[in-house]
Amino acid sequence: MSGLSGRTALVTGGSRGIGRSIARRLARDGALVAVHYGGNETAAKETVAGIEADGGQAFALGAELGVPGDAAALWAAFDEGLERRGAEPGLDILVNNAGITLPRQIADVTEEDYDRVFAVNVRAPFFLIQQGLGRLRDGGRIINISSGATRIAFPRTVAYSMTKGALDTLTLTLALALGPRGITVNTVAPGIVDTEINPHLKDPRVRAELASFSVFDRIGQPSDIADVVAFVAGDDARWITGQYLDATGGAHLGV
Protein backbone atom coordinates (compact mmCIF):
# COMPACT_ATOMS: atom_id res chain seq x y z
CA MET A 1 0.00 0.00 0.00
CA SER A 2 2.41 2.68 -1.17
CA GLY A 3 1.73 3.71 -4.76
CA LEU A 4 -1.00 6.21 -3.85
CA SER A 5 -0.05 6.78 -0.23
CA GLY A 6 -0.81 10.31 0.93
CA ARG A 7 -3.28 10.93 -1.89
CA THR A 8 -7.01 11.50 -1.76
CA ALA A 9 -9.41 10.07 -4.30
CA LEU A 10 -13.11 10.57 -4.99
CA VAL A 11 -15.06 7.85 -6.80
CA THR A 12 -18.57 8.84 -7.82
CA GLY A 13 -21.01 5.95 -7.77
CA GLY A 14 -18.48 4.15 -5.62
CA SER A 15 -20.87 2.11 -3.52
CA ARG A 16 -21.57 -0.76 -5.93
CA GLY A 17 -20.38 -2.56 -9.05
CA ILE A 18 -17.44 -1.12 -10.96
CA GLY A 19 -17.30 1.91 -8.67
CA ARG A 20 -16.95 -0.25 -5.57
CA SER A 21 -14.13 -2.23 -7.15
CA ILE A 22 -12.35 0.99 -8.16
CA ALA A 23 -12.71 2.43 -4.65
CA ARG A 24 -11.34 -0.72 -3.04
CA ARG A 25 -8.42 -0.92 -5.46
CA LEU A 26 -7.39 2.72 -4.99
CA ALA A 27 -7.62 2.29 -1.22
CA ARG A 28 -5.51 -0.86 -1.44
CA ASP A 29 -2.91 1.20 -3.26
CA GLY A 30 -2.83 3.61 -0.32
CA ALA A 31 -5.26 6.42 -1.17
CA LEU A 32 -7.84 7.86 1.18
CA VAL A 33 -11.02 7.23 -0.82
CA ALA A 34 -14.25 9.21 -0.71
CA VAL A 35 -16.99 6.75 -1.70
CA HIS A 36 -19.87 8.68 -3.23
CA TYR A 37 -23.39 7.29 -3.38
CA GLY A 38 -26.58 8.67 -4.87
CA GLY A 39 -29.20 6.90 -2.79
CA ASN A 40 -27.90 3.65 -1.31
CA GLU A 41 -26.17 4.70 1.89
CA THR A 42 -26.08 1.13 3.16
CA ALA A 43 -24.08 -0.07 0.14
CA ALA A 44 -21.65 2.84 0.51
CA LYS A 45 -21.07 2.07 4.17
CA GLU A 46 -20.52 -1.58 3.29
CA THR A 47 -17.89 -0.50 0.75
CA VAL A 48 -16.17 1.65 3.34
CA ALA A 49 -16.28 -1.16 5.89
CA GLY A 50 -14.71 -3.52 3.37
CA ILE A 51 -11.93 -1.05 2.64
CA GLU A 52 -11.22 -0.53 6.32
CA ALA A 53 -11.25 -4.28 6.96
CA ASP A 54 -8.49 -4.54 4.37
CA GLY A 55 -6.47 -1.87 6.21
CA GLY A 56 -7.42 1.03 3.94
CA GLN A 57 -8.95 4.44 4.54
CA ALA A 58 -12.30 5.63 3.23
CA PHE A 59 -15.44 7.56 4.03
CA ALA A 60 -18.88 7.71 2.46
CA LEU A 61 -20.65 10.79 1.15
CA GLY A 62 -24.08 11.12 -0.37
CA ALA A 63 -25.36 13.47 -3.06
CA GLU A 64 -27.99 12.91 -5.72
CA LEU A 65 -26.68 13.59 -9.21
CA GLY A 66 -28.65 14.95 -12.15
CA VAL A 67 -30.47 17.58 -10.10
CA PRO A 68 -29.83 21.33 -9.71
CA GLY A 69 -27.01 22.04 -7.29
CA ASP A 70 -25.69 18.48 -7.35
CA ALA A 71 -22.03 19.42 -7.78
CA ALA A 72 -22.10 21.98 -4.97
CA ALA A 73 -23.81 19.49 -2.66
CA LEU A 74 -21.30 16.75 -3.44
CA TRP A 75 -18.27 18.97 -2.90
CA ALA A 76 -19.69 20.29 0.36
CA ALA A 77 -20.10 16.71 1.59
CA PHE A 78 -16.58 15.88 0.40
CA ASP A 79 -15.04 18.85 2.23
CA GLU A 80 -16.98 17.98 5.36
CA GLY A 81 -15.86 14.37 5.18
CA LEU A 82 -12.19 15.36 4.98
CA GLU A 83 -12.57 17.79 7.87
CA ARG A 84 -14.32 15.16 9.97
CA ARG A 85 -11.39 12.81 9.45
CA GLY A 86 -8.81 15.51 10.14
CA ALA A 87 -7.45 15.07 6.61
CA GLU A 88 -5.84 17.78 4.53
CA PRO A 89 -8.29 19.55 2.21
CA GLY A 90 -7.90 18.90 -1.50
CA LEU A 91 -8.06 16.09 -4.02
CA ASP A 92 -5.60 14.14 -6.13
CA ILE A 93 -7.76 11.68 -8.09
CA LEU A 94 -11.29 12.20 -9.40
CA VAL A 95 -13.03 9.18 -10.94
CA ASN A 96 -16.29 10.08 -12.68
CA ASN A 97 -17.91 6.67 -12.54
CA ALA A 98 -21.53 7.37 -11.59
CA GLY A 99 -24.04 6.96 -14.38
CA ILE A 100 -27.37 5.51 -15.38
CA THR A 101 -28.31 3.35 -18.34
CA LEU A 102 -31.13 3.79 -20.84
CA PRO A 103 -31.69 0.51 -22.74
CA ARG A 104 -34.04 1.88 -25.38
CA GLN A 105 -33.88 2.34 -29.12
CA ILE A 106 -34.41 5.82 -30.52
CA ALA A 107 -38.13 5.34 -31.17
CA ASP A 108 -38.73 4.58 -27.50
CA VAL A 109 -36.69 7.40 -25.89
CA THR A 110 -38.85 10.15 -24.43
CA GLU A 111 -37.71 13.72 -23.89
CA GLU A 112 -37.76 13.05 -20.14
CA ASP A 113 -35.57 9.95 -20.60
CA TYR A 114 -33.12 11.91 -22.71
CA ASP A 115 -32.88 14.83 -20.30
CA ARG A 116 -32.40 12.53 -17.31
CA VAL A 117 -29.61 10.41 -18.79
CA PHE A 118 -27.73 13.50 -19.97
CA ALA A 119 -28.21 15.22 -16.61
CA VAL A 120 -26.63 12.34 -14.71
CA ASN A 121 -24.04 11.12 -17.20
CA VAL A 122 -22.84 14.41 -18.72
CA ARG A 123 -23.96 17.51 -16.85
CA ALA A 124 -23.09 16.13 -13.42
CA PRO A 125 -19.45 15.18 -14.20
CA PHE A 126 -18.97 18.41 -16.17
CA PHE A 127 -19.87 20.59 -13.21
CA LEU A 128 -18.18 18.29 -10.71
CA ILE A 129 -14.96 18.88 -12.59
CA GLN A 130 -15.63 22.60 -13.01
CA GLN A 131 -16.28 23.11 -9.30
CA GLY A 132 -13.58 20.66 -8.25
CA LEU A 133 -10.64 22.16 -10.13
CA GLY A 134 -9.83 24.46 -7.22
CA ARG A 135 -9.53 21.38 -4.99
CA LEU A 136 -7.61 19.23 -7.47
CA ARG A 137 -3.90 19.45 -6.81
CA ASP A 138 -1.34 19.99 -9.56
CA GLY A 139 -0.20 16.64 -10.89
CA GLY A 140 -3.63 15.17 -10.20
CA ARG A 141 -5.75 12.73 -12.17
CA ILE A 142 -9.21 12.91 -13.73
CA ILE A 143 -10.54 9.59 -14.98
CA ASN A 144 -13.86 9.42 -16.82
CA ILE A 145 -15.62 6.07 -17.06
CA SER A 146 -17.08 5.82 -20.54
CA SER A 147 -18.24 2.74 -22.46
CA GLY A 148 -17.27 0.53 -25.34
CA ALA A 149 -20.59 1.67 -26.81
CA THR A 150 -18.82 4.76 -28.13
CA ARG A 151 -16.69 2.49 -30.34
CA ILE A 152 -19.23 -0.24 -31.07
CA ALA A 153 -22.70 0.58 -32.38
CA PHE A 154 -25.49 -0.47 -29.99
CA PRO A 155 -28.77 0.95 -31.33
CA ARG A 156 -30.64 -0.25 -28.24
CA THR A 157 -28.65 2.16 -26.03
CA VAL A 158 -28.46 5.14 -28.39
CA ALA A 159 -29.02 7.98 -25.90
CA TYR A 160 -26.80 6.38 -23.27
CA SER A 161 -24.05 5.88 -25.85
CA MET A 162 -24.30 9.55 -26.80
CA THR A 163 -23.68 10.58 -23.18
CA LYS A 164 -20.53 8.52 -23.05
CA GLY A 165 -19.36 10.03 -26.33
CA ALA A 166 -19.71 13.43 -24.71
CA LEU A 167 -17.47 12.28 -21.86
CA ASP A 168 -14.85 11.13 -24.37
CA THR A 169 -14.79 14.62 -25.89
CA LEU A 170 -14.59 16.19 -22.43
CA THR A 171 -11.54 14.02 -21.70
CA LEU A 172 -9.74 15.13 -24.85
CA THR A 173 -10.48 18.81 -24.32
CA LEU A 174 -9.59 18.92 -20.63
CA ALA A 175 -6.34 17.04 -21.18
CA LEU A 176 -5.11 19.97 -23.26
CA ALA A 177 -6.51 22.60 -20.92
CA LEU A 178 -5.08 21.07 -17.72
CA GLY A 179 -1.74 19.91 -19.08
CA PRO A 180 0.10 23.01 -17.80
CA ARG A 181 -0.85 21.96 -14.27
CA GLY A 182 0.47 18.45 -14.77
CA ILE A 183 -3.04 17.02 -14.46
CA THR A 184 -3.77 14.04 -16.68
CA VAL A 185 -7.27 13.38 -18.00
CA ASN A 186 -8.15 9.99 -19.46
CA THR A 187 -11.13 7.83 -20.35
CA VAL A 188 -11.51 4.18 -19.35
CA ALA A 189 -14.17 2.40 -21.41
CA PRO A 190 -15.57 -0.88 -20.06
CA GLY A 191 -17.51 -3.39 -22.14
CA ILE A 192 -19.89 -6.01 -20.73
CA VAL A 193 -19.15 -6.30 -17.00
CA ASP A 194 -20.67 -8.68 -14.47
CA THR A 195 -22.47 -6.30 -12.11
CA GLU A 196 -26.00 -5.92 -10.76
CA ILE A 197 -26.68 -3.43 -13.57
CA ASN A 198 -26.64 -6.43 -15.95
CA PRO A 199 -29.10 -8.92 -14.39
CA HIS A 200 -29.68 -10.58 -17.77
CA LEU A 201 -26.23 -12.17 -17.40
CA LYS A 202 -27.86 -14.74 -15.10
CA ASP A 203 -29.36 -16.35 -18.20
CA PRO A 204 -26.69 -18.85 -19.40
CA ARG A 205 -27.59 -18.33 -23.06
CA VAL A 206 -27.38 -14.55 -22.83
CA ARG A 207 -24.16 -14.80 -20.85
CA ALA A 208 -22.56 -17.04 -23.46
CA GLU A 209 -23.60 -14.72 -26.28
CA LEU A 210 -22.24 -11.62 -24.56
CA ALA A 211 -19.05 -13.41 -23.51
CA SER A 212 -18.41 -14.13 -27.18
CA PHE A 213 -18.09 -10.39 -27.86
CA SER A 214 -14.66 -10.47 -26.19
CA VAL A 215 -11.62 -12.08 -27.77
CA PHE A 216 -11.15 -13.82 -24.40
CA ASP A 217 -14.66 -15.32 -24.55
CA ARG A 218 -15.65 -14.23 -21.07
CA ILE A 219 -17.58 -11.52 -19.29
CA GLY A 220 -15.56 -8.72 -17.74
CA GLN A 221 -15.26 -8.44 -13.97
CA PRO A 222 -15.29 -5.15 -12.01
CA SER A 223 -11.67 -5.80 -11.01
CA ASP A 224 -10.68 -5.83 -14.70
CA ILE A 225 -11.78 -2.21 -14.92
CA ALA A 226 -10.49 -1.20 -11.50
CA ASP A 227 -6.98 -2.36 -12.37
CA VAL A 228 -6.92 -0.17 -15.47
CA VAL A 229 -8.17 2.82 -13.47
CA ALA A 230 -5.52 2.22 -10.82
CA PHE A 231 -2.82 2.25 -13.46
CA VAL A 232 -4.03 5.54 -14.94
CA ALA A 233 -4.31 7.00 -11.42
CA GLY A 234 -0.71 6.13 -10.56
CA ASP A 235 2.67 7.62 -11.31
CA ASP A 236 3.47 5.08 -14.03
CA ALA A 237 0.81 6.76 -16.23
CA ARG A 238 2.22 10.27 -15.80
CA TRP A 239 2.92 10.55 -19.56
CA ILE A 240 -0.53 9.41 -20.66
CA THR A 241 -3.27 11.98 -21.11
CA GLY A 242 -6.21 12.66 -23.40
CA GLN A 243 -6.52 8.96 -24.13
CA TYR A 244 -9.38 6.49 -24.54
CA LEU A 245 -8.34 3.25 -22.85
CA ASP A 246 -10.45 0.44 -24.24
CA ALA A 247 -11.19 -1.99 -21.39
CA THR A 248 -13.71 -4.16 -23.25
CA GLY A 249 -11.59 -7.30 -23.47
CA GLY A 250 -11.16 -6.70 -27.18
CA ALA A 251 -14.89 -6.73 -27.85
CA HIS A 252 -15.83 -6.87 -31.54
CA LEU A 253 -12.28 -6.57 -32.81
CA GLY A 254 -12.15 -7.24 -36.52
CA VAL A 255 -15.92 -6.95 -36.94
Side-chain angles (χ1 to χ4, degrees):
M1 292 179 59
S2 60
L4 299 178
S5 180
R7 300 182 193 180
T8 300
L10 167 63
V11 181
T12 67
S15 64
R16 295 180 292 174
I18 292 174
R20 171 179 283 185
S21 191
I22 292 171
R24 296 193 71 159
R25 173 59 199 268
L26 295 180
R28 193 163 68 245
D29 286 354
L32 166 62
V33 181
V35 178
H36 161 263
Y37 65 93
N40 195 332
E41 182 179 10
T42 299
K45 288 183 175 179
E46 289 173 353
T47 301
V48 170
I51 288 172
E52 293 177 340
D54 290 339
Q57 302 179 74
F59 63 93
L61 63 96
E64 183 182 359
L65 300 183
V67 297
D70 53 2
L74 187 149
W75 286 120
F78 173 80
D79 294 341
E80 180 184 349
L82 289 181
E83 184 177 1
R84 197 166 56 242
R85 293 186 61 89
E88 289 292 324
L91 180 70
D92 299 287
I93 302 161
L94 171 60
V95 183
N96 286 307
N97 167 75
I100 59 174
T101 60
L102 186 61
R104 298 180 187 174
Q105 301 214 27
I106 189 168
D108 301 316
V109 176
T110 67
E111 292 183 3
E112 291 76 14
D113 291 333
Y114 184 94
D115 289 345
R116 175 64 178 161
V117 74
F118 269 84
V120 175
N121 293 4
V122 181
R123 190 180 71 193
F126 181 94
F127 286 104
L128 281 174
I129 293 171
Q130 182 200 68
Q131 296 181 30
L133 285 177
R135 295 170 174 84
L136 190 62
R137 298 184 181 99
D138 290 356
R141 303 283 189 266
I142 297 174
I143 303 163
N144 295 319
I145 305 302
S146 178
S147 169
T150 66
R151 174 176 65 83
I152 305 163
F154 284 103
R156 64 182 177 270
T157 62
V158 57
Y160 167 81
S161 301
M162 289 171 63
T163 68
K164 294 304 186 177
L167 274 187
D168 296 348
T169 299
L170 181 62
T171 289
L172 186 64
T173 304
L174 287 181
L176 179 61
L178 299 178
R181 291 182 54 191
I183 295 170
T184 69
V185 189
N186 289 290
T187 286
V188 173
I192 306 297
V193 180
D194 196 356
T195 69
E196 61 270 23
I197 205 171
N198 290 316
H200 50 281
L201 291 175
K202 295 178 181 178
D203 184 326
R205 290 173 299 179
V206 173
R207 189 177 185 89
E209 177 188 359
L210 296 180
S212 71
F213 290 179
S214 165
V215 299
F216 304 118
D217 197 27
R218 72 171 175 86
I219 300 296
Q221 297 300 310
S223 60
D224 293 324
I225 312 307
D227 290 348
V228 178
V229 172
F231 166 68
V232 179
D235 288 338
D236 287 348
R238 62 192 176 277
W239 202 237
I240 299 173
T241 195
Q243 298 306 302
Y244 175 99
L245 283 78
D246 188 301
T248 67
H252 290 287
L253 289 181
V255 176

